[in-house]
Amino acid sequence: SNRAGRFIFSAVDISIRKEMEEKAWHQANYDSLTELPNRNLLQNRLEQELKLAERSNTRLAVLFVDLDNFKNINDSLGHGAGDGVLQQASKRIVSCVRDTDTVARMGGDEFVLLLPQAREATPFDEVCLRIIEALTEPFALDLSEAYLSASIGVAVYPTDGRAGDTLMMNADAA
């Protein structure tokens, strides 16, 4: 027959659902205070970077950064001041690394960095020095300044471990 075809079309706006899914994913993978990746996303990235390092025969450094005497800031100036210091510290640490590196907040005053695809040890040392220098600058608070130092432990794949858990444990111990 020469009759024209007929179609029935139905549409549903799922933009609100997609927005909620994105928000839930972000909350599950990023620290709410610093907006850095959290432990969950760090583990995922570490496993991916380990696979890449193994395939490309390159090294991967895991840096464990701990802010020294941070508890004193919370105890003497309050948690609001401590939160401000953590936000400033996270920005300073991020400014010391490449865009391809990962900086994650593990909780409290601990940060973990993944520095992939380095062929020699020197860049890791340079990054550590830049971080220590950045964190020794005074932290501006509402009515005062705070001073901190940092301890950094480094573990390098494959020398210090081949598994993510081993590298994390060795960097923390270092």
Side-chain angles (χ1 to χ4, degrees):
S1 81
N2 289 334
R3 296 175 63 192
R6 294 190 175 127
F7 298 95
I8 297 174
F9 178 76
S10 174
V12 176
D13 182 4
I14 61 168
S15 58
I16 293 173
R17 186 178 86 201
K18 287 300 215 181
E19 193 176 300
M20 287 178 13
E21 287 172 358
E22 287 177 24
K23 185 177 180 181
W25 184 88
H26 187 81
Q27 289 174 339
N29 291 288
Y30 285 87
D31 176 63
S32 61
L33 180 64
T34 62
E35 288 299 315
L36 292 176
N38 64 15
R39 182 184 306 263
N40 184 43
L41 187 54
L42 174 70
Q43 292 290 357
N44 182 282
R45 288 188 182 175
L46 177 57
E47 293 306 316
Q48 296 302 315
E49 292 296 345
L50 283 170
K51 289 175 186 173
L52 182 61
E54 184 177 2
R55 276 196 312 266
S56 60
N57 198 29
T58 56
R59 296 168 2 127
L60 166 70
V62 176
L63 279 63
F64 201 95
V65 179
D66 184 44
L67 302 179
D68 300 330
N69 301 314
F70 176 75
K71 185 179 182 313
N72 293 341
I73 292 174
N74 271 344
D75 291 347
S76 62
L77 301 173
H79 290 282
D83 288 350
V85 168
L86 288 172
Q87 290 168 330
Q88 291 177 55
S90 67
K91 289 177 184 173
R92 291 180 190 186
I93 294 170
V94 168
S95 73
C96 294
V97 299
R98 306 169 294 185
D99 290 339
T100 56
D101 299 331
T102 298
V103 178
R105 180 170 176 228
M106 294 297 284
D109 62 345
E110 299 173 336
F111 298 87
V112 174
L113 288 71
L114 302 180
L115 309 179
Q117 300 185 353
R119 296 195 185 277
E120 71 263 353
T122 308
F124 304 145
D125 298 341
E126 291 172 6
V127 170
C128 290
L129 289 174
R130 284 196 304 262
I131 292 170
I132 288 171
E133 286 177 11
L135 294 175
T136 57
E137 294 293 319
F139 290 85
L141 302 174
D142 289 338
L143 300 173
S144 63
E145 291 181 331
Y147 295 88
L148 286 176
S149 59
S151 300
I152 303 176
V154 180
V156 180
Y157 168 88
T159 311
D160 299 321
R162 293 181 136 333
D165 292 344
T166 303
L167 287 168
M168 293 282 289
M169 183 179 66
N170 288 338
D172 188 15

